[in-house]
Amino acid sequence: MTYKHLSYFNSISDSNARIIRKYLRYDTQLGTAEAEGHQDTLNRTSRRGQWLNRRPAEVLDFDHDGKRDLAWWFPPTAAGVDGTFEVRLSGGGTLVKSMGRLGDIPVPSDFNGDGATDLAVFIPGGGINHDTPTATQAFWRYCPTNYQSPSTACLDGSISTYQFGEREDVPLPGLDFDGLASTGHLAVFRPSARLWVWGPVASYNPSTARSVTVGDATTLVPLPGLYDLDNKTDIVGYDTATGKFHLVTSTSNWSTTIVRSFPASHDGGMPVPHAVPVPGMVAHLYSRSGLFVTYPPRLGLALWWPDTGFWNVMWNPANNDVRSSCQWGSPGDVPLGGIGSDHGVLLQPSYSRMTIYRSNDYSGNGTFYFRALDNLTCGSTSGVYAGVAKPRTIVHVVRDMTGDRLPEILLVNQDNSGEVRYMTSESNYTTMVSAAAGTHLAVLL
């Protein structure tokens, strides 16, 4: 099976998010007078700019067993040598592949449409052989995975190379612009021009690529995903200067822009540009086709105010601007999206829970707090003590790793050689599984 139609998140990896912040200054600018609301009681700067949106790839299934694998890219330590991909397969075994040079960006995705993730890198200028520093053309290189027998060899015996994009572009792997699981796409976002460019891998031709300009400023952060119901990627740019979302839906053939705005502030707190976008908030909403009623998933738009802890979510932004609002969290917390929404077809509406991670001091352990936000109502609350989570622990919500179609919480311990653990959805996030360890230099995919 393939996950492409079920993947309503995008596939932006940790490394891609770094590039986004490099070009777009994703960390919201704070003046001296504004900083107070972004620090906790120990005067530590909020981690929202450091950890929020450093999201691993949403779909990462190299052995095609329906479960997310764990993978890292170890960058090369010198010019002229390759880095190394290391994949811990959910079905057992490890896949190791040398690939990528200094300056390359790992972009794993399913490029050939066989349902299995392929290893790939994006080369942001400098020439395909990294020997032309002035060259601005970007290249994609991918190694098709033989998911029936994963190995260090590419499926067809060679690495495929495509020229697509420019030096400044943000690569966006894993998007689907035609709704066909059998088609992989190359896609980039160009900040200076507010330009999105994409095209299918199978009929690769840069001269016929589709492009759309979004927004009216160069302060956009790309947040693509499935916001309507046609299983095609919708384009969303979040403007960090105004706090507005610019949404261009596939159902309009990417020709009509919808601008969604949120309240200027909450409880006299900071203005909306200082709110934090929380990707991954999902709603399963009523849909009818003839006699058939389903509750398919779609992404919502969400902002969290770090000074007051208020959440605002638009569950159906492609069709209306109705918002849910709830206070949940405190300064210094880290908001997470995507917990508590089934990836399958449900027989009733359901919504992601508001989730925050809190660590109260430098030596203490962390706790995850959950609260339901059922349509327009603040719901019940719960908390889970994470005994191994520390203040410097990086936390992610990732795709199903165990086979129950619900997401897991991934924890990365920077102070212990990049040790990785995950909290299982089956246990309601009370069971911790030790997965593997990378290094503090490795890029978690």
Side-chain angles (χ1 to χ4, degrees), residues 18-68:
R18 290 181 183 179
I19 294 298
I20 290 171
R21 289 201 303 277
K22 173 182 176 182
Y23 289 114
L24 301 180
R25 294 181 175 33
Y26 189 83
D27 294 323
T28 305
Q29 297 179 6
L30 296 176
T32 302
E34 299 169 326
E36 182 179 356
H38 294 266
Q39 296 175 335
D40 62 17
T41 55
L42 294 178
N43 206 39
R44 288 181 292 137
T45 301
S46 169
R47 289 160 293 181
R48 67 186 183 121
Q50 293 174 289
W51 310 139
L52 183 72
N53 296 313
R54 293 186 62 204
R55 299 177 61 203
E58 162 60 8
V59 177
L60 208 65
D61 186 5
F62 293 89
D63 52 5
H64 203 266
D65 66 351
K67 302 176 184 178
R68 191 192 188 281

Side-chain angles (χ1 to χ4, degrees), residues 10 12 16-28 52-55 170 172 189-191 194 196 214-215 217-224 227 235-247 273 275 277-279 301:
N10 60 64
I12 300 180
N16 302 143
R18 290 181 183 179
I19 294 298
I20 290 171
R21 289 201 303 277
K22 173 182 176 182
Y23 289 114
L24 301 180
R25 294 181 175 33
Y26 189 83
D27 294 323
T28 305
L52 183 72
N53 296 313
R54 293 186 62 204
R55 299 177 61 203
V170 177
L172 301 172
F189 171 65
R190 191 162 302 154
R194 299 168 286 116
W196 300 66
V214 177
T218 58
T219 51
L220 295 179
V221 172
L223 295 172
Y227 292 85
I235 291 172
V236 171
Y238 175 69
D239 191 337
T240 59
T242 64
K244 295 181 179 180
F245 291 87
H246 297 259
L247 170 63
V278 185
L301 300 175

Side-chain angles (χ1 to χ4, degrees), residues 256-324:
T256 303
T257 299
I258 302 169
V259 179
R260 297 302 189 197
S261 302
F262 284 77
S265 65
H266 271 294
D267 287 357
M270 293 182 178
V272 65
H274 299 287
V276 180
V278 185
M281 296 297 282
V282 178
H284 292 259
L285 301 179
Y286 176 90
S287 177
R288 186 185 184 101
S289 178
L291 298 176
F292 296 97
V293 174
T294 59
Y295 293 86
R298 69 189 82 189
L299 274 172
L301 300 175
L303 287 179
W304 183 73
W305 274 256
D307 58 328
T308 60
F310 263 93
W311 293 68
N312 256 253
V313 184
M314 289 185 191
W315 293 112
N316 191 8
N319 294 297
N320 60 64
D321 62 356
V322 177
R323 299 186 305 269
S324 300

Side-chain angles (χ1 to χ4, degrees), residues 36 39 66 108 111 113 130 140 147 149 153 157 188 217 231 235 251 278 312 318 365 384 392 401:
E36 182 179 356
Q39 296 175 335
F111 291 93
H130 302 79
W140 299 67
Y147 65 83
S149 180
V188 296
N231 292 321
I235 291 172
T251 50
V278 185
N312 256 253
N365 295 307
V384 175
R392 279 171 43 83
M401 299 177 65

